[in-house]
Amino acid sequence: MQLPANAALIVIDVQQGFLDPRWGQRNNPAAEENIAALLATWRVARRPVIHVRHASASPNGAFRADTPGFAFKAQARPLDGEPVVTKSVNSGFIGTDLERRLREGGIDTVVLCGLTTDHCVSTTARMAGNLGFNTIVVGDACATHERTGPDGRHYTAEAMHATALASLNGEFARIASTAAMLGA
């Protein structure tokens, strides 16, 4: 896949808080490995990298700034000089300077990866698409957890992941693989 030289990699919420067992079963145990490979490739190519992290407002939140859950996982730690955008809602664009950073950098293509596919990755991808950015979600560099619907029905993590990607595909974003991005 051919990408512009300044296509930005946006790494979303790859934080220790997702290690908390309260999230339940997760799909795609290779997501962090794929994220690390994307980061390495972007860094070597000197393409822009932006990290997004979640700061919980709730006193019981897994991502409160004063807890270990707020820290980045080792595979996705920002390097010195890589911007970090901190959000308190699902979208990386709401209440942050992410859009301004992208526009000021002349960036029109964003490549998203991170946690979780059906929450923060999906919400950020939808907004990026609505804001006019050429948006790519690297499906195998994302993961999510099982969920229970309002009727009590159980949805596996893999089902949640697949339906989140399907809901983005075409209208809001293109879905790609890590391998395709590493060759871009």
Side-chain angles (χ1 to χ4, degrees), residues 111-149:
V111 178
L112 308 181
C113 61
L115 306 172
T116 62
T117 318
D118 56 329
H119 282 178
C120 298
V121 173
S122 176
T123 305
T124 302
R126 288 169 188 275
M127 286 205 65
N130 285 332
L131 290 168
F133 292 99
N134 176 27
T135 305
I136 300 164
V137 174
V138 186
D140 62 355
C142 297
T144 195
H145 300 91
E146 63 189 345
R147 307 266 188 239
T148 301

Side-chain angles (χ1 to χ4, degrees), residues 14-62:
V14 186
Q15 293 171 261
Q16 297 290 337
F18 280 118
L19 297 174
D20 190 312
R22 75 175 115 175
W23 297 105
Q25 293 297 310
R26 189 188 117 165
N27 77 316
N28 193 12
E32 287 86 351
E33 179 182 317
N34 290 334
I35 291 165
L38 291 166
L39 278 166
T41 298
W42 250 254
R43 289 166 174 160
V44 166
R46 299 182 154 283
R47 285 183 167 160
V49 172
I50 300 173
H51 300 266
V52 174
R53 69 176 164 198
H54 192 82
S56 297
S58 167
N60 299 322

